[in-house]
Amino acid sequence: MNIRKLLAVLPLLAASLWAASPAVNEMTLPETLYPQLDVILKQAVQQSPSMVNRALDLEIAENTRIAARSNILPNVGGYYSVYKAWDDRADLNGRVKVDKLAYAFSVTQPVFHWGERMNYVRMGEIQEKIAQGNYQDGYRLLAQEIRSQYLQLIIKKLSLERSRVINKYNQDVRNAAEDRLAKKVISEAEIFIVRLNAERALIDLERTGLDLESAKQSFARLTGTPQLDDGAIPDMVAEAPHTPEAFERVLAGFLAQKDPPTIAAANLRSQIKLEDLTYLNQKTRLRPKFNLTLGTSQDEQSYTLNVAQKYKVNSLFGGLSGSWTLFDGFSAKAGQRSALNRRRQAENDYRSLTDSLAREAQAQLKQVDFSARLMSIANRLLAATKGGFEVKKTDYARGVVSENDVTLANMNYYEALISANAARADYLAKVGVFLGTVAEDPVLANVALAHK
């Protein structure tokens, strides 16, 4: 079955489970800042290995629905046989050649099963809907991981640049110290620490480079896209504006809804419906059920006292057949009790989820606020450090400070830059998690767009 045809229903599901509020447009996500990340997120719907597996889960669910629908469709069956025989007949004092053709074909259509067959059809449709919800939620979680790893690539690239600056500084210090040692200005004891620092800086540079390469490979495996080169990775995480009022409006809209629109909540509601249908089916197990049967057959029949003397019989038949299980060892009662208990479990899980989602959304909004405040501090520190670095460069041009002072100021700037980028990345990640919790993550639109 063509996966694209199978996923044609996903836009309808996305419309029912997700609809971004206007306030979401005022929030900043990583793909808002980096259009190239938005392209990767859209490609990951069909190229990511995890989404390929989830698409197969959807196809399995579709086939399960088709199998469930067969409960209300007619069953067609029969047999056909042709054979030759040589019978030794005592009454004829010899062997007789016998040719036999026999067949039977019939069509059986369920007529009245107390709604049991339609319940099975509905159960198949509900199970498919659950699978579609899991597909969307799986993509949402994948998108969060892709965003996080993409931002980490930027930070690792900055860390590599910082390591290069630190390594160059330590190698220059070591070279200067070696010259002084050669001139007998310093002793072996004084250069020992300088050499160790230079070796550490070189190891750190190599390790940071390896970390970046490993991160790029991991990102490529996660997204199913070609590995990025260093030039395709942004130089830094851009500043993201924070609008507290927009977050408050989104949270208020989420808390005002009677039934949470999240995938997990929708799946639990579907599970409750499944248990209701299972209970109804268990109630009908000991009731009579009726089918309509039509068919034709051909065989042989004896009409005389001589049973060896047989005649061909063609038959057309049709009628209503019934079956009634009078006692099944109390299996139906046990099934009813189990279905009711599973329903109660699903209801309890749903109440717990509803309460926890409200608390979780409120807690995550506080985390977003904390992260925004820390990001503001980090940005201000970066601005101050960058200003100090610019002053040092100006003073060096005037001959007031040494090149070493400029290098140290540059290293401090990189430290502040990495801290600010980490704070920005943390803020963007928390925004994505919050929007996912309140079922307002715009990334879900990619699922509908990819399978139109």
Side-chain angles (χ1 to χ4, degrees), residues 1 14 20 68 75 90 134 179 203 246 271 323 328 374 380 411 428:
M1 179 176 292
N75 290 326
N134 290 336
D179 289 341
I203 292 172
Q271 187 63 40
S323 62
D328 64 354
L374 290 172
R380 295 200 302 270
M411 289 165 50
L428 292 171

Side-chain angles (χ1 to χ4, degrees), residues 93-157:
N93 295 320
R95 176 173 292 184
V96 179
K97 181 181 177 182
V98 179
D99 295 332
K100 183 175 181 179
L101 170 64
Y103 63 82
F105 296 98
S106 64
V107 178
T108 302
Q109 172 66 51
V111 176
F112 185 70
H113 285 246
W114 307 93
E116 175 189 290
R117 296 301 183 97
M118 282 302 303
N119 288 342
Y120 282 126
V121 174
R122 295 189 187 99
M123 290 169 72
E125 293 171 349
I126 291 172
Q127 288 169 344
E128 182 184 32
K129 185 177 179 181
I130 291 174
Q132 292 167 351
N134 290 336
Y135 178 85
Q136 284 200 84
D137 204 44
Y139 175 68
R140 179 184 64 82
L141 296 174
L142 173 67
Q144 289 184 2
E145 182 65 21
I146 291 174
R147 290 164 173 164
S148 176
Q149 288 199 19
Y150 188 81
L151 295 174
Q152 287 303 312
L153 284 177
I154 300 174
I155 295 174
K156 289 181 182 296
K157 180 180 177 180

Side-chain angles (χ1 to χ4, degrees), residues 86-383:
W86 287 263
D87 296 344
D88 286 329
R89 296 276 298 274
D91 59 330
L92 298 178
N93 295 320
R95 176 173 292 184
V96 179
K97 181 181 177 182
V98 179
D99 295 332
K100 183 175 181 179
L101 170 64
Y103 63 82
F105 296 98
S106 64
V107 178
T108 302
Q109 172 66 51
V111 176
F112 185 70
H113 285 246
W114 307 93
E116 175 189 290
R117 296 301 183 97
M118 282 302 303
N119 288 342
Y120 282 126
V121 174
R122 295 189 187 99
M123 290 169 72
E125 293 171 349
I126 291 172
Q127 288 169 344
E128 182 184 32
K129 185 177 179 181
I130 291 174
Q132 292 167 351
N134 290 336
Y135 178 85
Q136 284 200 84
D137 204 44
Y139 175 68
R140 179 184 64 82
L141 296 174
L142 173 67
Q144 289 184 2
E145 182 65 21
I146 291 174
R147 290 164 173 164
S148 176
Q149 288 199 19
Y150 188 81
L151 295 174
Q152 287 303 312
L153 284 177
I154 300 174
I155 295 174
K156 289 181 182 296
K157 180 180 177 180
L158 279 172
S159 298
L160 180 60
E161 290 297 325
R162 177 190 60 182
S163 295
R164 286 171 179 160
V165 171
I166 293 175
N167 179 65
K168 182 179 183 306
Y169 169 75
N170 281 277
Q171 299 307 323
D172 290 345
V173 171
R174 177 179 180 174
N175 292 336
E178 294 289 354
D179 289 341
R180 296 178 68 192
L181 177 66
K183 296 176 182 179
K184 307 297 183 181
V185 177
I186 60 175
S187 64
E188 287 285 346
E190 292 174 304
I191 202 175
F192 178 72
I193 296 298
V194 175
R195 288 171 175 170
L196 288 183
N197 289 337
E199 289 181 24
R200 287 196 188 100
L202 181 59
I203 292 172
D204 183 68
L205 175 61
E206 293 174 356
R207 183 174 58 188
T208 307
L210 180 61
D211 286 345
L212 178 59
E213 286 301 315
S214 298
K216 290 191 294 185
Q217 293 171 7
S218 177
F219 187 76
R221 290 193 299 270
L222 179 68
T223 59
T225 57
Q227 182 174 324
L228 298 174
D229 56 33
D230 290 355
I233 302 174
D235 294 330
M236 65 178 62
V237 180
E239 292 190 54
H242 177 59
T243 53
E245 300 80 9
F247 286 90
E248 292 291 346
R249 291 199 301 273
V250 170
L251 178 63
F254 177 74
L255 297 178
Q257 299 179 75
K258 179 182 178 182
D259 294 318
T262 65
I263 300 295
N267 284 351
L268 278 175
R269 290 194 292 269
S270 296
Q271 187 63 40
I272 292 173
K273 293 178 182 177
L274 279 177
E275 299 307 333
D276 286 338
L277 294 172
T278 301
Y279 173 74
L280 293 175
N281 283 353
Q282 291 294 333
K283 287 181 66 176
T284 65
R285 285 188 58 174
L286 298 182
R287 295 178 182 177
K289 290 156 189 175
F290 302 93
N291 299 321
L292 180 65
T293 302
L294 298 173
T296 181
S297 67
Q298 177 177 300
D299 207 338
E300 294 179 345
Q301 179 66 44
S302 175
Y303 295 101
T304 66
L305 293 176
N306 183 2
V307 296
Q309 187 174 3
K310 297 180 179 180
Y311 301 89
K312 181 175 71 173
V313 178
N314 289 328
S315 175
L316 292 173
F317 58 89
L320 193 65
S321 64
S323 62
W324 193 349
T325 302
L326 299 177
F327 180 70
D328 64 354
F330 305 107
S331 176
K333 288 294 184 183
Q336 292 176 42
R337 290 193 295 269
S338 295
L340 287 175
N341 288 332
R342 287 194 299 268
R343 188 187 195 282
R344 294 189 187 102
Q345 286 180 333
E347 288 175 339
N348 290 335
D349 291 342
Y350 184 71
R351 283 193 292 269
S352 298
L353 177 66
T354 302
D355 294 339
S356 64
L357 280 175
R359 292 193 301 270
E360 186 177 353
Q362 292 169 330
Q364 287 178 0
L365 181 56
K366 291 184 179 296
Q367 292 299 324
V368 170
D369 181 64
F370 293 150
S371 182
R373 290 157 61 186
L374 290 172
M375 177 179 65
S376 176
I377 293 173
N379 287 337
R380 295 200 302 270
L381 285 173
L382 174 62

Side-chain angles (χ1 to χ4, degrees), residues 390-409:
E390 295 296 334
V391 169
K392 289 294 183 182
K393 288 195 295 184
T394 302
D395 290 345
Y396 176 71
R398 294 164 50 201
V400 178
V401 299
S402 66
E403 183 179 359
N404 185 56
D405 293 328
V406 176
T407 302
L408 290 175

